[in-house]
Amino acid sequence: MADTPTLRERARRAARAEIAATAIQLFAENGFDATTIDQITAAVGISRRSFFHYFGSKEDLVLGDTDALGESVRAELEARPEGESAWEAIRGALLILGQVGGGPAERLTLAGLHHEAPSLRARHLEKHLRWQHLLAPEIQRRLGLPASTEADPRALAFVAAALACVDAAVDAWYRSGGTDDPERLFDEAVATLRS
């Protein structure tokens, strides 16, 4: 019972979801950069102050809580079977990203927004840099590299390459109109790196 969210937490999640869904609809209609926070708050019927109670920025509406998602990927990576190679383990951990962002139509809209808005691309790159340092220790261990207080550059490069493969797969999936298989696209990108 301790893991059951309180009524207040459920209400907060519902409000966040409604604000995000409304914003994404506005972004799809008007473009990310052309949509203002004032337009979002008016459409939802909340104040700017309330908006910033739920989201730190307009970009957070699209990217979500990247720190919490990174922690989820890290936990999944560390929970992967011991016998898996570093590539198998990171692939398995990154699969949880496919569960983020609602249904296929919403994920396609979000992917389109990433293409459109430079500010989203910049925040996405910041996320990658944080995730490299977050995931590198487990990759370092799985690669058999010596443990140290500083992340080994080889482990950082490994994680950066895996995240670049995710981006390439998502971009190709978006260009296909959501008809291609992002997991296959990821596997092909990784195979190219490993050949």
Side-chain angles (χ1 to χ4, degrees):
M1 275 305 225
D3 291 336
T4 304
T6 64
L7 178 60
R8 175 181 234 152
E9 181 57 30
R10 290 193 309 271
R12 180 174 170 76
R13 288 180 190 171
R16 280 180 60 89
E18 182 181 348
I19 295 165
T22 301
I24 289 168
Q25 181 180 352
L26 289 170
F27 296 153
E29 292 170 2
N30 307 319
F32 181 82
D33 290 330
T35 303
T36 66
I37 291 174
D38 288 335
Q39 290 170 318
I40 296 166
T41 59
V44 179
I46 61 172
S47 68
R48 282 181 65 87
R49 183 175 179 190
S50 292
F51 174 88
F52 288 112
H53 178 72
Y54 292 104
F55 296 96
S57 69
K58 193 168 71 164
E59 289 79 9
D60 291 344
L61 287 161
V62 177
L63 296 174
D65 188 346
T66 59
D67 291 336
L69 185 55
E71 287 295 335
S72 296
V73 173
R74 182 193 54 74
E76 187 68 25
L77 178 62
E78 291 175 353
R80 301 298 304 169
E82 195 57 41
E84 283 186 341
S85 71
W87 279 114
E88 291 169 320
I90 202 160
R91 181 192 188 279
L94 291 171
L95 284 176
I96 68 170
L97 298 178
Q99 302 164 11
V100 176
E106 185 177 338
R107 286 196 297 271
L108 196 59
T109 299
L110 293 174
L113 292 172
H114 278 92
H115 280 273
E116 172 193 315
S119 61
L120 285 173
R121 296 294 275 185
R123 289 288 295 273
H124 186 71
L125 291 174
E126 289 173 19
K127 174 196 82 171
H128 276 221
L129 292 173
R130 288 193 311 274
W131 283 21
Q132 284 177 35
H133 287 278
L134 186 65
L135 303 177
E138 178 62 14
I139 292 301
Q140 192 165 320
R141 188 186 71 74
R142 285 183 183 265
L143 291 173
L145 299 172
S148 67
T149 56
E150 293 292 319
D152 189 293
R154 294 168 289 185
L156 291 170
F158 183 102
V159 175
L163 294 174
C165 289
V166 168
D167 286 347
V170 170
D171 287 346
W173 173 78
Y174 171 72
R175 287 192 311 274
S176 78
T179 60
D180 217 333
D181 178 11
E183 287 183 41
R184 181 186 59 75
L185 294 165
F186 174 80
D187 290 340
E188 288 175 354
V190 169
T192 301
L193 286 179
R194 297 182 70 186
S195 63

